[in-house]
Amino acid sequence: MWRHIAANAMTFLVVALFLVGGVIIWGKAQYDTPGPLTEAVCVQVKSGSNMRRVSKDLADQGAVTSAAILRIGADYEDKTGELKAGSFLIEPNATMKDIVDVITRGGASTCGTEIVYRIGVTRVSVQVRELDPATNRFDELATYTLGEDEVPAEYEETRDKADVRFRIAVAEGVTSWQVVSAISNMDIMDGPAPAVPAEGALAPDSYEVRKGDDRGALLARMQAAQETLLAAAWEARADDLPINSPEELLILASIVEKETGVADERRQVASVFVNRINQGMRLQTDPTVIYGITRGEGVLGRGLRRSELRGETPYNTYVIPGLPPTPIANPGRASLMAAAQPDETPYIFFVADGTGGHAFAVTLDEHNRNVAAWRKIEAEQGAAAAGNASTGGGTD
């Protein structure tokens, strides 16, 4: 009888093991199989949440077929305790394994509502926007100019929500004073207004921040990023570059940044200044003269006067030889690399061509013709603007 009982028990154990093995194989297949989503969704992981709550939310949104399998899979991969707070975009047909990787990897949030502070050369704009997961496009909820416009209610309501994200986008060509002035006026930042860093020391980029972050700490991040970019550009510089130090490279890059907003022109513009340095010519660039007047504290807002072009200042490159003593703005990665690796051209002149770009020239005669063409375009644009103003700004 005992042999019979033992045989039945053994048979039961084998069947049980077989069934358990089958369940494990089935569960793993479910964990690795493309999920049921037909459109992307945004899952919000609140601070202090856990895998049970998040898996239920995913199941409720139709992102997974089984919250339990997702939890078991996350536990098997030792990722249950690595859940990160944030708002994360879950792509269509994402597997449970993919989803667990997204919500435990961390880093910047990829969806939800965000407030973007854009520090530009002429103004600081604030935009409240929300990502539509279905289209992967942002819908604007509100926008205003910091320090000028009335703060919209949508901004204040969104700013105080627990799951909103904040980002500060610094444009290429802004000055260090403009950056410090802007972040000093942002109500989400904390700490005293920091001292203005050296010109050119801040990396234009997009920085994710949290409400209450310290202003000084943010500037330190920007400075560290620029040091890295400058070191990489200096390491990659052309062998025959007439620039003697990373500091001089930074100065040249800042001039390139202020002279053109056309990406494809940066290396050509850099080549003009390199050619002028090699030939012992003055750089003769208006942005340096303007910086000598404003010292980077705001925009000049008018054309340069003849007396300003003749006046001898450390930044008037119509008068002084070589580079000015400091950068005149914060250049981005592209301008740093353009200054380090300029195109090989014969150009020593350039002037605006009316399209947003520039006309380049080798000889003074050719340059003068380009200048005359630009003056004609300026006159035509001025006449058209005056005509629009007198008629109310356009036609029906």
Side-chain angles (χ1 to χ4, degrees):
M1 180 180 71
W2 292 109
R3 289 181 180 179
H4 182 69
I5 293 174
N8 287 340
M10 185 61 71
T11 301
F12 177 78
L13 181 61
V14 170
V15 171
L17 289 173
F18 178 79
L19 291 174
V20 169
V23 169
I24 292 173
I25 293 172
W26 175 81
K28 188 176 186 310
Q30 292 294 305
Y31 190 70
D32 293 332
T33 296
L37 276 182
T38 57
E39 290 186 347
V41 299
C42 186
V43 60
Q44 296 179 348
V45 181
K46 296 181 179 180
S47 181
S49 189
N50 57 44
M51 194 64 74
R52 178 174 291 277
R53 293 196 197 102
V54 175
S55 63
K56 182 179 184 303
D57 182 31
L58 286 163
D60 290 344
Q61 292 195 62
V64 299
T65 54
S66 170
I69 291 177
L70 183 137
R71 293 195 300 272
I72 293 170
D75 192 52
Y76 178 78
E77 293 189 311
D78 291 329
K79 291 186 174 182
T80 298
E82 297 179 12
L83 192 63
K84 301 294 191 299
S87 298
F88 304 106
L89 188 69
I90 308 300
E91 300 287 356
N93 303 125
T95 68
M96 294 187 202
K97 180 179 177 62
D98 293 335
I99 294 172
V100 168
D101 182 59
V102 168
I103 62 178
T104 60
R105 186 189 315 133
S109 296
T110 52
C111 65
T113 305
E114 69 174 10
I115 296 177
V116 185
Y117 304 83
R118 303 185 189 279
I119 304 176
V121 173
T122 59
R123 70 188 186 109
V124 181
S125 64
V126 183
Q127 182 186 40
V128 183
R129 63 185 196 173
E130 185 172 30
L131 183 72
D132 180 354
T135 63
N136 204 27
R137 293 183 178 180
F138 281 98
D139 295 327
E140 185 178 285
L141 306 180
T143 185
Y144 72 101
T145 299
L146 185 66
E148 295 182 15
D149 298 339
E150 182 179 350
V151 178
E154 292 88 347
Y155 168 80
E156 294 179 330
E157 292 169 1
T158 305
R159 177 199 59 198
D160 296 331
K161 291 181 180 178
D163 58 349
V164 68
R165 296 176 294 127
F166 301 96
R167 192 158 55 82
I168 297 175
V170 181
E172 293 91 345
V174 300
T175 65
S176 295
W177 180 89
Q178 287 175 316
V179 174
V180 171
S181 177
I183 66 173
S184 295
N185 288 321
M186 293 177 187
D187 57 6
I188 62 162
M189 303 298 294
D190 203 357
V196 178
E199 197 65 80
L202 307 177
D205 204 344
S206 180
Y207 297 88
E208 186 109 4
V209 297
R210 295 181 182 276
K211 193 174 180 180
D213 277 358
D214 182 74
R215 293 181 172 91
L218 173 60
L219 285 183
R221 283 171 59 191
M222 295 179 181
Q223 287 177 286
Q226 190 73 325
E227 288 172 4
T228 300
L229 292 177
L230 178 58
W234 180 249
E235 182 68 24
R237 71 189 185 280
D239 293 335
D240 57 350
L241 195 69
I243 298 297
N244 299 315
S245 68
E247 291 72 24
E248 288 189 357
L249 180 66
L250 189 63
I251 294 170
L252 177 58
S254 73
I255 297 173
V256 172
E257 192 71 79
K258 297 299 286 187
E259 279 287 9
T260 183
V262 179
D264 293 342
E265 279 191 353
R266 287 191 177 101
R267 293 180 190 271
Q268 284 182 298
V269 169
S271 77
V272 170
F273 294 125
V274 167
N275 291 341
R276 283 178 165 257
I277 292 172
N278 282 330
Q279 295 182 37
M281 298 175 64
R282 291 186 176 91
L283 298 188
Q284 297 184 328
T285 169
D286 288 359
T288 63
V289 182
I290 293 170
Y291 189 85
I293 297 169
T294 66
R295 294 299 171 133
E297 297 183 6
V299 180
L300 184 61
R302 59 171 174 79
L304 284 168
R305 302 186 179 106
R306 289 187 181 275
S307 60
E308 291 167 337
L309 291 171
R310 296 193 194 102
E312 185 168 347
T313 74
Y315 291 88
N316 188 349
T317 52
Y318 285 89
V319 176
I320 65 167
L323 296 165
T326 72
I328 59 171
N330 290 288
R333 181 197 303 268
S335 289
L336 283 166
M337 291 306 300
Q341 299 176 347
D343 283 349
E344 292 186 12
T345 76
Y347 301 136
I348 55 174
F349 301 101
F350 65 92
V351 67
D353 64 1
T355 68
H358 293 85
F360 295 84
V362 178
T363 68
L364 183 58
D365 286 344
E366 184 183 1
H367 177 61
N368 287 337
R369 288 194 295 272
N370 291 337
V371 170
W374 167 237
R375 297 299 182 212
K376 182 179 178 182
I377 293 171
E378 275 189 313
E380 291 171 351
Q381 290 175 343
N388 285 339
S390 65
T391 59
T395 57
D396 294 332

